[in-house]
Amino acid sequence: MNRKRARLTLLRALVTWDGDPAQLTRELLSSPPFVRSGLVVLRLQDIDAAIRRFVSGRASAEDLADWAECVHTVEDIDLDDAARDLIAQALFELSTPELFGSMEDISTSLLRRISSS
């Protein structure tokens, strides 16, 4: 039970970017994922907060791309059903900025889409 609780804490920390995403991901990948899904859900507000961390200068473009890649890598983080397509697209764009332009342009576009959803 302790292991599950620890994993849940790590998942929540990754989703809310509370710590080093790479370290959190390493710890998460070293243990098996939950069998039950839906325990940790990535929501639009999590994407919004991560982008705003970059826009405010508290994170670099590389940091934001790394966070998105880490969140995308971990199996037992579900996407909020209410905005699943937008969240999936945001993770894809943020984790592969070389395909979509500058992180500034990607961030501006995503914040616009998030606010109008």
Side-chain angles (χ1 to χ4, degrees):
M1 186 66 124
N2 254 350
R3 209 175 309 152
K4 285 185 178 182
R5 198 169 307 146
R7 184 168 182 84
L8 191 58
T9 299
L10 290 170
L11 287 166
R12 287 187 179 134
L14 180 58
V15 164
T16 60
W17 199 342
D18 185 19
D20 175 38
Q23 177 61 36
L24 293 167
T25 302
R26 278 192 295 279
E27 291 179 44
L28 286 164
L29 293 176
S30 71
S31 63
F34 287 124
V35 174
R36 256 183 40 217
S37 63
L39 294 176
V40 176
V41 178
L42 181 68
R43 296 180 174 13
L44 273 180
Q45 63 252 30
D46 300 315
I47 299 284
D48 183 84
I51 293 169
R52 291 187 188 282
R53 182 182 283 219
F54 164 68
V55 170
S56 71
R58 293 180 292 137
S60 68
E62 184 177 322
D63 293 336
L64 181 55
D66 289 346
W67 173 82
E69 179 64 30
C70 290
V71 170
H72 190 67
T73 300
V74 177
E75 289 179 37
D76 45 0
I77 294 174
D78 285 343
L79 306 183
D80 184 7
D81 283 336
R84 179 175 296 280
D85 291 342
L86 179 53
I87 294 168
Q89 185 63 35
L91 286 176
F92 180 52
E93 290 180 26
L94 292 170
S95 65
T96 56
E98 62 277 3
L99 300 177
F100 296 97
S102 73
M103 192 61 85
E104 291 80 7
D105 291 343
I106 295 167
S107 296
T108 300
S109 173
L110 286 171
L111 287 174
R112 193 174 318 116
R113 287 185 271 169
I114 289 168
S115 70
S116 66
S117 66

